[in-house]
Amino acid sequence: MYKAFFGLNDNPFSIAPNPHYLFLSDRHREALAHLTYGLGDTGGFVLLTGEVGTGKTTVSRCLLQQLPDNTDTAFILNPSLTELELLATLCDELHIPYGDTPTLKQLTDLLSKYLLNNHEHGRNTLLLIDEAQHLRPEVLEQLRLLTNLETDTKKLLQVILIGQPELQQLLKRQELRQLAQRITARYHLLPLNERELGLYVQHRLQVAGRHEPLFTAKAIRALHSASGGIPRLSNLICERALMAAYAQSKVPVDHKMVQRAAAEVLGEEPDSRRNWWPLAAGAGFVLAFGLVFWLLQPDGKPLVAAEKVPASGIEAAKIEPAVTSAVAGPAAGGSLGRRQLDKALADSRKIDTAFATLLGLWKRTPYQQMSACQAASLQGLACYQQQGNTASILRLNYPAVVYLTDDAGQESYGTLISHKGDELLLQLGEQQFWVSRAWFDRHFAGVFEILWQPAQEDRSPIGSHSSEDQLQWLENSLAMVDKVPPRLIRGYDRELEQRLKTFQRQHGLTPDGIAGRQTLTQLGLYLNQSGPRLTREVTF
């Protein structure tokens, strides 16, 4: 009855990995392109990371479907193994017989013989490890030693590591630096944006037999706000919303149904009453933060203005006022400052605290029971996560939440606020430190997140067959980034193509010479003039 009411012949929002419902967004296609390139002729390790439910399994399944027929594939889905158990599991997957109590050497010899035999017969061998963040360092090192078997042109064993963001931190450990250097391609999969999520929902409905829209535009916005664009969580919310719509005999599904469904799925109690006291508390926090920060600036110019809290029914988060203090870090020397900095870094374990500072710089406020990105989205901003080095952050020139590691290798979070010469102003918890770039380089984990205000215009991809107006816009945009005068062009010439590919390589994008959604977003970050910056002079 549930399916008949909506004109469906299947459950469109099951979380089972049904290949019939395969949906590849732009970012999933980009991830697939990176992994395919990494597996190439030379082989090695390929890394795919992403939060729970973002579609890592979808990408890996799609990749496996594209492998040539002469590929033997081994899967390890439970990586909580010892070195001996890992090699034994690999032998089981490749149907390599071994005795009752094999030693590590015996298993290694059997695998080496198998790989050499495969190579002689023109066959490839691929190992895919899911949930790889659970691998022990000694197991990863054993895996690296196994991949030492190679010819003059290629590795005889190719390895795909799939895991949550913690896997990136694991591979930064000192004892795994040799393995990290063998990663030929890596990609961090982000959640779907609002447009992609709408296409995703409609795609699943069409596969299930319904071609008319079932969710209103406001319902999709509410779904994206609640799920953060994570497909698996979106499925759960949509399923619950459809059940509510069926119970009420109501079509289409509106935003109120989605909000109630999200509250049930996330285990929250929806509260429709306005509560002005928490909003006032949030406003007081931001005002106090802005005043103290203004007093601490050497040139007397405030970077944060007083908060204007939006008249929203959402309850603002209760955060203790952040009393900032300019404490000398390694940039200025001093054992006291260094001890304070080390302690602050070790205490900064909550990313929400770092995001609260970043939201304050944008004159926004966090909301209770919402992620920072969801709160930002409700206030007209978007989150953007990127991998890179310190130069990548300074090039974009936005304040950023930065992923850090302390001296013990534990993950911490801070907010990069300002930049002057070789010194960076970093907030850790309630304290601010001027740190040297060398110190920051040592502790930066390679991932950062910024807030920005996307333009309302949604451009289509730009390539060799685009109109002259689109190509001229691309020329003007790249010239602005490069700080050179733009040319007057008549078509997609070689110079424009090379400049676009250079821009893509600089930002970890596929250098395909097509300004797709990811490339256009990256350009938009440069061209956007709204919001705070690390410095008013862009540093490259």
Side-chain angles (χ1 to χ4, degrees):
M1 294 176 64
Y2 162 85
K3 292 182 288 188
F5 178 77
F6 295 112
L8 301 167
N9 51 40
D10 192 14
N11 180 3
F13 298 110
S14 168
I15 60 174
N18 189 335
H20 293 296
Y21 288 93
L22 176 65
F23 174 82
L24 290 180
S25 68
D26 289 346
R27 61 195 67 203
H28 287 88
R29 295 181 190 278
E30 191 170 353
L32 185 60
H34 275 73
L35 300 187
T36 303
Y37 170 79
L39 286 177
D41 293 330
T42 57
F45 285 86
V46 172
L47 179 67
L48 175 63
T49 58
E51 287 293 349
V52 176
T54 50
K56 301 185 295 297
T57 302
T58 297
V59 173
S60 63
R61 285 173 181 266
C62 204
L63 177 67
L64 293 175
Q65 291 174 358
Q66 298 181 10
L67 293 175
D69 294 335
N70 65 336
T71 303
D72 293 338
T73 306
F75 298 89
I76 295 181
L77 304 179
N78 178 18
S80 298
L81 306 168
T82 65
E83 300 100 306
L84 189 65
E85 291 169 339
L86 173 78
L87 297 187
T89 303
L90 183 52
C91 285
D92 291 337
E93 286 290 313
L94 297 174
H95 307 292
I96 302 173
Y98 55 87
D100 293 335
T101 56
T103 65
L104 201 61
K105 182 181 183 306
Q106 289 172 336
L107 291 175
T108 302
D109 291 344
L110 287 171
L111 284 166
S112 298
K113 181 179 178 181
Y114 177 90
L115 293 173
L116 286 169
N117 184 64
N118 255 14
H119 176 66
E120 290 174 0
H121 290 83
R123 299 193 62 81
N124 301 318
T125 310
L126 174 67
L127 170 61
L128 188 148
I129 303 179
D130 203 0
E131 301 295 339
Q133 73 275 2
H134 296 303
L135 286 170
R136 303 172 186 175
E138 57 270 20
V139 174
L140 279 168
E141 178 61 14
Q142 180 63 47
L143 198 58
R144 181 190 70 81
L145 294 174
L146 191 61
T147 62
N148 278 341
L149 195 62
E150 59 189 354
T151 68
D152 292 337
T153 58
K154 66 177 292 184
K155 298 283 186 182
L156 299 189
L157 177 65
Q158 297 174 311
V159 182
I160 300 177
L161 299 176
I162 302 175
Q164 296 170 25
E166 294 85 350
L167 178 58
Q168 298 177 20
Q169 302 306 315
L170 175 62
L171 294 175
K172 290 182 181 294
R173 297 180 63 153
Q174 181 71 10
E175 64 267 33
L176 296 177
R177 63 189 184 279
Q178 288 180 290
L179 187 150
Q181 291 172 2
R182 295 191 181 187
I183 297 176
T184 56
R186 61 179 74 208
Y187 193 89
H188 184 73
L189 192 60
L190 296 175
L192 302 175
N193 60 33
E194 185 180 311
R195 172 184 167 276
E196 292 168 333
L197 184 60
L199 294 173
Y200 171 81
V201 170
Q202 188 58 29
H203 168 77
R204 295 190 74 95
L205 288 171
Q206 289 177 351
V207 173
R210 183 185 176 95
H211 296 277
E212 299 82 9
L214 190 52
F215 289 76
T216 67
K218 290 184 70 174
I220 296 297
R221 285 196 292 271
L223 176 64
H224 186 266
S225 174
S227 69
I230 296 177
R232 187 182 302 163
L233 187 54
S234 298
N235 282 358
L236 294 172
I237 295 173
C238 285
E239 170 71 12
R240 192 65 60 90
L242 287 184
M243 291 175 62
Y246 170 69
Q248 300 174 35
S249 298
K250 185 176 179 180
V251 175
V253 179
D254 61 24
H255 65 286
K256 293 181 180 179
M257 290 181 178
V258 170
Q259 289 170 344
R260 285 193 292 269
E264 294 175 9
V265 169
L266 300 173
E268 301 171 355
E269 291 294 331
D271 186 1
S272 60
R273 298 173 299 171
R274 293 183 180 271
N275 191 338
W276 298 105
W277 284 105
L279 289 174
F285 155 67
V286 179
L287 283 169
F289 177 85
L291 178 60
V292 174
F293 192 65
W294 181 86
L295 292 173
L296 289 170
Q297 297 308 305
D299 55 3
K301 295 180 180 179
L303 294 183
V304 184
E307 171 68 22
K308 182 179 180 181
V309 180
S312 169
I314 301 175
E315 185 177 6
K318 297 176 182 177
I319 301 176
E320 294 296 324
V323 181
T324 60
S325 58
V327 180
S335 58
L336 176 60
R338 187 170 291 107
R339 287 197 301 272
Q340 288 178 296
L341 175 58
D342 292 342
K343 184 178 186 305
L345 182 63
D347 292 341
S348 301
R349 304 299 189 199
K350 295 182 178 179
I351 195 171
D352 288 345
T353 303
F355 260 115
T357 302
L358 185 60
L359 284 164
L361 294 174
W362 278 88
K363 306 178 185 178
R364 303 298 196 274
T365 183
Y367 293 142
Q368 278 187 343
Q369 299 180 338
M370 279 193 178
S371 71
C373 290
Q374 290 171 343
S377 178
L378 288 178
Q379 299 173 79
L381 301 179
C383 285
Y384 182 82
Q385 186 187 78
Q386 183 171 321
Q387 293 177 316
N389 53 24
T390 307
S392 304
I393 307 177
L394 300 183
R395 187 184 296 116
L396 281 176
N397 200 34
Y398 284 82
V401 169
V402 289
Y403 291 51
L404 306 168
T405 54
D406 60 18
D407 291 335
Q410 299 297 311
E411 189 173 77
S412 298
Y413 304 95
T415 311
L416 191 59
I417 293 176
S418 185
H419 164 237
K420 291 182 180 179
D422 285 334
E423 294 185 356
L424 308 172
L425 182 58
L426 179 68
Q427 179 153 336
L428 298 169
E430 299 180 349
Q431 300 181 80
Q432 290 181 359
F433 301 85
W434 281 103
V435 300
S436 68
R437 182 163 175 176
W439 182 94
F440 188 83
D441 287 340
R442 286 198 306 273
H443 293 275
F444 181 44
V447 180
F448 63 94
E449 299 190 50
I450 66 174
L451 297 176
W452 74 301
Q453 199 164 27
Q456 296 298 321
E457 183 181 11
D458 189 13
R459 288 187 173 273
S460 57
I462 302 175
S464 57
H465 300 294
S466 299
S467 66
E468 285 190 8
D469 289 342
Q470 288 179 304
L471 293 173
Q472 188 64 59
W473 178 89
L474 181 60
E475 164 68 24
N476 295 346
S477 301
L478 291 172
M480 187 176 297
V481 172
D482 295 338
K483 293 185 175 181
V484 298
R487 301 175 300 134
L488 182 63
I489 60 175
R490 294 284 181 243
Y492 190 72
D493 58 18
R494 181 170 180 78
E495 184 176 345
L496 178 58
E497 180 184 11
Q498 290 305 314
R499 287 176 63 189
L500 177 57
K501 288 183 177 180
T502 299
F503 178 84
Q504 291 173 323
R505 279 191 289 268
Q506 286 176 341
H507 297 87
L509 304 173
T510 303
D512 54 8
I514 300 174
R517 183 160 300 278
Q518 297 294 315
T519 301
L520 291 173
T521 297
Q522 193 78 41
L523 278 171
L525 290 168
Y526 279 107
L527 303 177
N528 197 294
Q529 299 298 314
S530 60
R533 293 293 188 274
L534 293 175
T535 175
R536 285 301 164 185
E537 294 182 3
V538 182
T539 303
F540 291 90

